[in-house]
Amino acid sequence: MRHIYSGKVRELYETDDGVLLLVATDRISAFDHVLATEIPDKGKILTQLSLWWFERLADVVPNHLVDAAIPAEFAGRAMACQRLDMVPVECVARGYLAGSGLADYRRTGAVCGVTLPAGLSESAQLPRPVFTPATKAPRGEHDENIPASAVAGLVGREVAGELERITLEVYRRGAELAGRRGIIVADTKIELGFDPGGRLLLADEVLTPDSSRFWPADQWAPGRTPPSLDKQYVRDWLTSPQAGWDRYGPEPPPPLPEPVVERTRDTYVRAYESITGRRWR
């Protein structure tokens, strides 16, 4: 087994027989910084939630998982995968108006070139889910929203159509299943890649708090921001006076206080338990 890549929150290894091990650490990132403080069990929660979703999306799109042993040191936090030629596009589906989509709409009346009805408020449900892709920025830089038409220039018209179709189908299935558990999937980002046979496979993580915006349905209303079951609490603390940190300055973020760590972990656990109906051990 050799180490071949370090991401913000993941490590990638390759075994002697060519199987990739995607290992989710307990690191957490915010504002393009990897924080010094880890969130206990975060990597295991994201891995187990992704595995739950991969099983339920198998009839929508095949995935990168392969049947191979996971080393004991990575138990619970690693997936055995096949190597893919990854598509250079962040595939995003939105069903509600929030985040960068809200900013685009307020500026242009559209999101990634998709014109939306006038007068929509923050957190409003869209008339239909929309495909809002983004470029994959280098580490330390921001992804940038692009029109769906621009994707064809990157990967070709046929592949672009498949990316849109798969992304929206994954979103619809995820929103339907999570909705039964009282969770709104406001938006989600997925990763796709080609296997050696030319098939598009779902890869990385899927429908987790790190790749999606989850809202408790009973706390949602148009015109205001519902509490998110993700790392938004960390972002909010980092930009608060208590943190004393300038996100645009040269200094790295400060360590997270224990209450922030505990609440963030509880949020990840709540997302897992709410969606799967299972107790986190």
Side-chain angles (χ1 to χ4, degrees):
M1 186 174 66
R2 65 188 182 94
H3 181 259
I4 58 176
Y5 179 74
S6 288
K8 287 181 181 177
V9 299
R10 290 179 184 80
E11 302 291 340
L12 190 62
Y13 296 83
E14 185 176 31
T15 66
D16 290 340
D17 54 2
V19 173
L20 298 182
L21 295 176
L22 185 63
V23 181
T25 72
D26 290 338
R27 299 193 298 264
I28 190 168
S29 66
F31 303 118
D32 295 313
H33 291 272
V34 177
L35 306 189
T37 312
E38 295 188 346
I39 307 298
D41 289 332
K42 174 178 175 284
K44 290 185 177 182
I45 293 169
L46 295 184
T47 298
Q48 297 308 309
L49 183 55
S50 288
L51 291 172
W52 188 89
W53 279 117
F54 280 130
E55 182 179 345
R56 283 149 186 82
L57 293 166
D59 63 328
V60 174
V61 56
N63 60 64
H64 65 168
L65 297 176
V66 297
D67 186 14
I70 302 295
E73 64 196 282
F74 300 142
R77 65 172 66 247
M79 292 184 281
C81 317
Q82 62 175 302
R83 184 182 292 273
L84 302 178
D85 181 13
M86 299 304 294
V87 174
V89 175
E90 299 282 1
C91 294
V92 181
R94 300 177 189 275
Y96 293 76
L97 201 54
S100 63
L102 175 62
D104 283 355
Y105 174 75
R106 285 174 169 170
R107 187 174 63 254
T108 67
V111 181
C112 293
V114 179
T115 301
L116 299 175
L120 294 179
S121 60
E122 179 179 5
S123 305
Q125 185 173 13
L126 303 181
R128 59 179 176 81
V130 295
F131 178 57
T132 59
T135 59
K136 284 188 176 180
R139 183 169 177 174
E141 299 180 20
H142 293 286
D143 298 335
E144 292 188 8
N145 292 345
I146 57 175
S149 58
V151 178
L154 295 172
V155 298
R157 182 174 299 177
E158 183 177 348
V159 172
E162 275 296 277
L163 296 180
E164 179 170 357
R165 180 189 66 81
I166 292 170
T167 302
L168 291 175
E169 287 191 15
V170 168
Y171 174 81
R172 292 188 181 104
R173 174 67 62 83
E176 175 192 358
L177 294 180
R180 296 177 190 173
R181 301 285 188 176
I183 299 296
I184 289 172
V185 183
D187 51 54
T188 195
K189 177 191 73 174
I190 65 173
E191 302 272 0
L192 294 160
F194 290 99
D195 71 3
R199 292 188 307 162
L200 268 175
L201 304 187
L202 187 59
D204 198 44
E205 62 181 323
V206 60
L207 288 160
T208 69
D210 274 15
S211 65
S212 311
R213 199 184 311 264
F214 295 138
W215 295 334
D218 60 0
Q219 298 182 61
W220 169 79
R224 61 185 178 87
T225 303
S228 295
L229 297 179
D230 55 28
K231 58 186 176 183
Q232 187 59 46
Y233 185 68
V234 170
R235 298 189 191 99
D236 291 344
W237 183 82
L238 288 173
T239 55
S240 71
Q242 290 85 352
W245 178 60
D246 177 9
R247 60 175 289 197
Y248 302 107
E251 298 300 319
L256 300 177
E258 189 59 32
V260 175
V261 173
E262 291 177 358
R263 179 163 171 178
T264 303
R265 181 188 181 279
D266 289 347
T267 298
Y268 278 82
V269 169
R270 182 182 174 192
Y272 173 87
E273 293 184 342
S274 297
I275 291 170
T276 66
R278 301 171 178 173
R279 289 283 296 172
W280 181 254
R281 50 193 178 281

